[in-house]
Structure formats: structure tokens, C-alpha cells
């Protein structure tokens, strides 16, 4: 009986984590949509803006970006292509092996990142502080994880 209770506690904790993630992602998408971005778009811009790639350069291999964002390789490639079409990043061949692709922020991408960084950090602060403060505040008021999604 104690083992079953402990197992249920783990399941409940896992579901709480998923709920916080879903609510936070929905809120990020809602706030960033005003700037023409989604949460995943911002994460890629944020990785590119954070600093130097592993080789010390200003551009990142797509695989390096993939190590930091939770997207499949194909989803990340589509996202990078969209960011490039929007003029936020550039892509180029990797000089080291000619098979890889390097991605770099454009000045427009850097400016947009700087504009929305405080928005993203404010959402994280608000959503995660709510979670840490009160696991009690809002308990029992589960939002549908799909609610608020869609950027169209």
C-alpha cells in the first residue's frame, strides 16, 4: 500500500510539472505572439544571443542549437528557415565540414531579441514564482494545456 502511495505521489508530481510547463508555454506564446514570435522562436534567438558557440565564434551549428532547445532536427530546421525568411537569422555552410549549417543572428534578430527578452523573463518570473509560491494558488483550477495555443 505504501509503495502504491509513493508511486501515485510520483505520478502526481509528474503531472504537476507537465501542467506548469503547459501553462507557462501557453503564456509565453500569448505574450510573444504580439511580437511575431512563439516560444520556440524565442528560444532559438536566445541561444544565438547568449554568447559564443563552442568554437568561440558568433554563429552556431544547427546541432549546437538543438542541444539547447527541445525540438526535433526537422522542426528546428523549419524554424530556422522561417527565422531566416523573417530576416532574423542567416544560414551558411559550415567551413569545417561543408555538410553542416551555421546560423547567426542578424542585427534585426538581435534587436528583436533585446526587445522581447524582458517580456519572456517577466513571464517566466510570474509563472514560475506563482508555482514556487503557492503550489496552492490556482490549485484545482487546471487550465486546458491546449488553451491559448495557436499563433495564427
Amino acid at each position: 500500500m505504501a509503495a502504491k502511495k509513493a508511486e501515485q505521489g510520483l505520478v502526481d508530481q509528474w503531472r504537476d510539472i507537465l501542467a506548469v510547463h503547459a501553462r507557462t508555454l501557453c503564456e509565453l506564446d500569448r505574450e510573444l505572439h504580439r511580437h511575431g514570435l512563439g516560444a520556440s522562436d524565442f528560444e532559438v534567438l536566445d541561444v544565438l544571443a547568449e554568447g559564443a558557440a563552442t568554437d568561440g565564434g558568433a554563429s552556431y551549428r544547427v546541432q549546437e542549437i538543438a542541444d539547447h532547445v527541445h525540438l526535433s532536427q526537422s522542426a528546428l530546421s523549419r524554424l530556422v528557415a522561417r527565422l531566416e525568411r523573417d530576416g532574423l537569422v542567416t544560414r551558411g555552410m559550415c567551413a569545417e565540414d561543408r555538410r553542416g549549417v551555421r546560423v547567426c543572428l542578424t542585427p534585426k534578430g538581435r534587436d528583436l531579441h533585446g526587445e522581447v527578452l524582458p517580456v519572456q523573463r517577466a513571464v517566466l518570473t510570474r509563472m514560475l514564482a506563482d508555482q514556487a509560491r503557492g503550489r496552492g494558488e490556482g490549485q484545482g483550477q487546471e487550465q486546458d494545456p491546449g488553451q491559448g495555443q495557436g499563433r495564427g
Side-chain angles (χ1 to χ4, degrees), residues 4-49:
K4 185 134 177 99
K5 194 171 212 163
E7 183 178 300
Q8 186 59 49
L10 286 174
V11 170
D12 291 346
Q13 186 177 10
W14 173 243
R15 289 181 180 153
D16 287 345
I17 291 168
L18 290 175
V20 168
H21 177 265
R23 285 191 303 268
T24 304
L25 197 57
C26 287
E27 185 66 11
L28 283 169
D29 276 335
R30 189 178 70 75
E31 291 288 333
L32 294 172
H33 179 71
R34 299 171 188 177
H35 301 274
L37 296 173
S40 294
D41 303 331
F42 177 83
E43 286 302 318
V44 169
L45 295 180
D46 202 38
V47 167
L48 293 171

Side-chain angles (χ1 to χ4, degrees), residues 112-130:
L112 182 58
H113 175 266
E115 179 184 324
V116 298
L117 179 65
V119 173
Q120 190 259 10
R121 297 303 197 257
V123 169
L124 292 182
T125 299
R126 184 174 70 248
M127 298 301 291
L128 299 179
D130 285 352

Side-chain angles (χ1 to χ4, degrees), residues 46-92:
D46 202 38
V47 167
L48 293 171
E50 275 181 346
T54 56
D55 66 357
S59 64
Y60 286 74
R61 293 177 63 113
V62 171
Q63 187 55 48
E64 289 177 303
I65 299 169
D67 290 343
H68 297 283
V69 298
H70 300 285
L71 296 171
S72 68
Q73 188 75 28
S74 62
L76 179 57
S77 293
R78 287 190 305 272
L79 188 150
V80 167
R82 188 174 67 249
L83 294 175
E84 184 180 38
R85 272 193 315 274
D86 293 344
L88 303 175
V89 302
T90 57
R91 288 187 292 180

